[in-house]
Amino acid sequence: MAMRRVASTAARAFASPSSLVFTRQLQASPGPKKIVGVFYKANEYAEMNPNFLGCAENALGIREWLESKGHEYIVTPDKDGPDSELEKHIPDLHVLISTPFHPAYVTAERIKKAKNLQLLLTAGIGSDHVDLKAAAAAGLTVAEVTGSNTVSVAEDELMRILILVRNFLPGHHQVINGDWNVAGIAYRAYDLEGKTVGTVGAGRIGRLLLQRLKPFNCNLLYHDRLKMDPELESQIGAKFEEDLDKMLSKCDIVVINTPLTEKTKGMFDKEKIAKLKKGVLIVNNARGAIMDTQAVVDACNSGHIAGYSGDVWYPQPAPKDHPWRYMPNQAMTPHISGTTIDAQLRYAAGTKDMLDRYFKGEDFPAENYIVKDGELAPQYR
């Protein structure tokens, strides 16, 4: 019920194009198209699993299909800077495909150079690597494979909560290092049951996380721009908190599930973190730039944040000197939560479906649009 309401809201949001925006015709004109895909390089791992589609070597498994239709398909992991391989193709590409795991940053400058560009596709969820306002002003269409890795990310978040609550990593490191010190783990290991868990954002991933937390008998809270359908809220057992700061002060564990927008960039700065409980645990699989990088480091060093885990950084890939690599009580990984093999199969299929619709001049599923006819999806406004 709630999902239907959100979908219908999205559909209404794109109903009326802005009269101030020139919209590039999305329907592919006759003739071959130049499609560029930007994916991480897998090297020796590319051949270890035939379903490992999200890497540069396997390129979503759509090369043969695209080339059989006469289209050019350029794939590269080289995406940053004026001398990158991607930059060479910006002036004449028609479609750019990228992922949140190895994002091609599409700036206003790149959009201005891309005279033939019509369509920006995200193989996955989250299109904040695109300057969405510039894309809207240029009349571009931006779309993603909504729902493709929702389960993957929610499961990963639950895993990270348990890793932090049970103080798992120090014990694992002891085994690797040949040590045995139960006290060094147990002094700060807790049960998840009875803890207050709050999610900042309760869209598809946030709701799924709350559903998976219900059997742990936690006190579940959520803050979002939309209140859940009362029936779903009752089934999950979660309480809506309209005031974010009040919710944060109650939480033993905070999970970030909001998109990166102008409003949420740097949201968790020194002042916001000070409103959290001392000893709070934070899981962030949303976007690294939602957090003030140094404020997180300082709070982990002081103990105000007792544990921080996530797979999102800014920029990505994270440089070797990124301070989150070295702060205490962190359980960070590269951006992996949404790129399980199961998720790759889903977002590869979804990308192919949208390309096929593009070639045929058909609309995409309404929930996939991030920018259409000069309008941004509600979550990015």
Side-chain angles (χ1 to χ4, degrees):
M1 180 79 175
M3 291 181 71
R4 288 199 300 270
R5 181 177 61 178
V6 173
S8 64
T9 301
R12 288 196 301 273
F14 291 117
S16 301
S18 170
S19 60
L20 300 177
V21 176
F22 171 74
T23 302
R24 302 187 193 184
Q25 181 63 38
L26 180 59
Q27 182 174 354
S29 55
K33 296 290 170 285
K34 182 173 184 177
I35 299 159
V36 175
V38 176
F39 311 106
Y40 54 79
K41 195 167 179 60
N43 299 308
E44 70 272 19
Y45 301 105
E47 297 181 0
M48 292 184 177
N49 188 330
N51 292 325
F52 188 6
L53 301 180
C55 59
E57 290 86 346
N58 296 326
L60 301 182
I62 57 176
R63 180 179 295 282
E64 184 177 343
W65 173 69
L66 285 172
E67 292 180 349
S68 72
K69 293 180 173 294
H71 304 298
E72 182 182 9
Y73 189 31
I74 305 292
V75 174
T76 180
D78 184 19
K79 63 188 180 68
D80 297 321
D83 298 321
S84 65
E85 184 67 20
L86 171 60
E87 195 72 20
K88 297 175 187 177
H89 299 287
I90 291 291
D92 62 346
L93 57 79
H94 297 90
V95 180
L96 176 60
I97 307 169
S98 184
T99 75
F101 320 107
H102 189 73
Y105 294 107
V106 183
T107 61
E109 182 181 1
R110 279 181 163 174
I111 288 172
K112 188 176 181 180
K113 291 179 182 177
K115 302 300 184 183
N116 293 338
L117 181 60
Q118 294 179 320
L119 177 61
L120 292 158
L121 290 178
T122 300
I125 302 173
S127 299
D128 48 87
H129 54 280
V130 177
D131 184 327
L132 297 177
K133 285 190 174 181
L140 300 176
T141 296
V142 183
E144 59 189 41
V145 191
T146 298
S148 58
N149 52 19
T150 301
V151 170
S152 314
V153 177
E155 287 183 357
D156 188 273
E157 289 177 340
L158 178 56
M159 174 189 73
R160 291 176 191 274
I161 290 171
L162 289 167
I163 283 172
L164 292 178
V165 169
R166 301 307 293 264
N167 203 24
F168 173 83
L169 279 182
H172 181 60
H173 293 154
Q174 283 186 23
V175 170
I176 292 172
N177 296 329
D179 298 330
W180 188 279
N181 181 2
V182 174
I185 308 161
Y187 83 102
R188 51 175 304 195
Y190 297 88
D191 294 339
L192 180 53
E193 184 175 45
K195 302 300 182 293
T196 297
V197 183
T199 176
V200 182
R204 290 174 175 84
I205 295 170
R207 290 196 300 267
L208 205 55
L209 174 66
L210 292 171
Q211 289 172 327
R212 278 155 171 68
L213 283 168
K214 184 178 181 181
F216 288 88
N217 297 320
C218 302
N219 178 29
L220 301 176
L221 307 176
Y222 74 97
H223 171 82
D224 196 86
R225 61 189 179 85
L226 295 174
K227 196 173 186 295
M228 287 185 205
D229 177 80
E231 184 179 351
L232 179 61
E233 189 177 77
S234 177
Q235 289 173 358
I236 295 174
K239 180 185 176 185
F240 176 68
E241 294 279 345
E242 186 172 1
D243 188 311
L244 175 60
D245 289 345
K246 286 184 179 178
M247 184 189 84
L248 294 176
S249 68
K250 301 174 185 177
C251 293
D252 302 300
I253 302 156
V254 173
V255 186
I256 312 300
N257 276 311
T258 189
L260 176 62
T261 67
E262 290 183 358
K263 293 179 181 178
T264 63
K265 186 175 183 179
M267 172 192 286
F268 280 83
D269 54 14
K270 182 179 179 180
E271 289 72 28
K272 185 71 74 177
I273 289 173
K275 296 176 181 179
L276 300 167
K277 272 187 178 182
K278 182 174 173 56
V280 69
L281 304 175
I282 298 178
V283 171
N284 179 15
N285 281 2
R287 288 295 181 266
I290 293 171
M291 318 300 289
D292 180 313
T293 299
Q294 190 58 46
V296 171
V297 173
D298 293 343
C300 284
N301 284 330
S302 72
H304 193 88
I305 296 176
Y308 185 92
S309 184
D311 69 336
V312 288
W313 310 68
Y314 185 78
Q316 289 188 183
K320 290 184 178 180
D321 62 352
H322 196 293
W324 287 359
R325 293 180 183 267
Y326 310 106
M327 63 189 183
N329 302 316
Q330 56 89 358
M332 296 295 295
T333 68
H335 196 168
I336 57 168
S337 63
T339 189
T340 63
I341 296 300
D342 303 280
Q344 290 178 47
L345 291 169
R346 290 189 291 266
Y347 64 67
T351 302
K352 182 179 179 180
D353 175 70
M354 286 193 286
L355 284 171
D356 191 44
R357 290 170 184 256
Y358 162 67
F359 297 139
K360 295 176 179 177
E362 298 175 356
D363 282 339
F364 302 157
E367 64 272 16
N368 286 12
Y369 285 110
I370 302 302
V371 176
K372 181 186 180 185
D373 297 335
E375 297 284 347
L376 274 65
Q379 67 267 32
Y380 283 100
R381 294 176 190 168

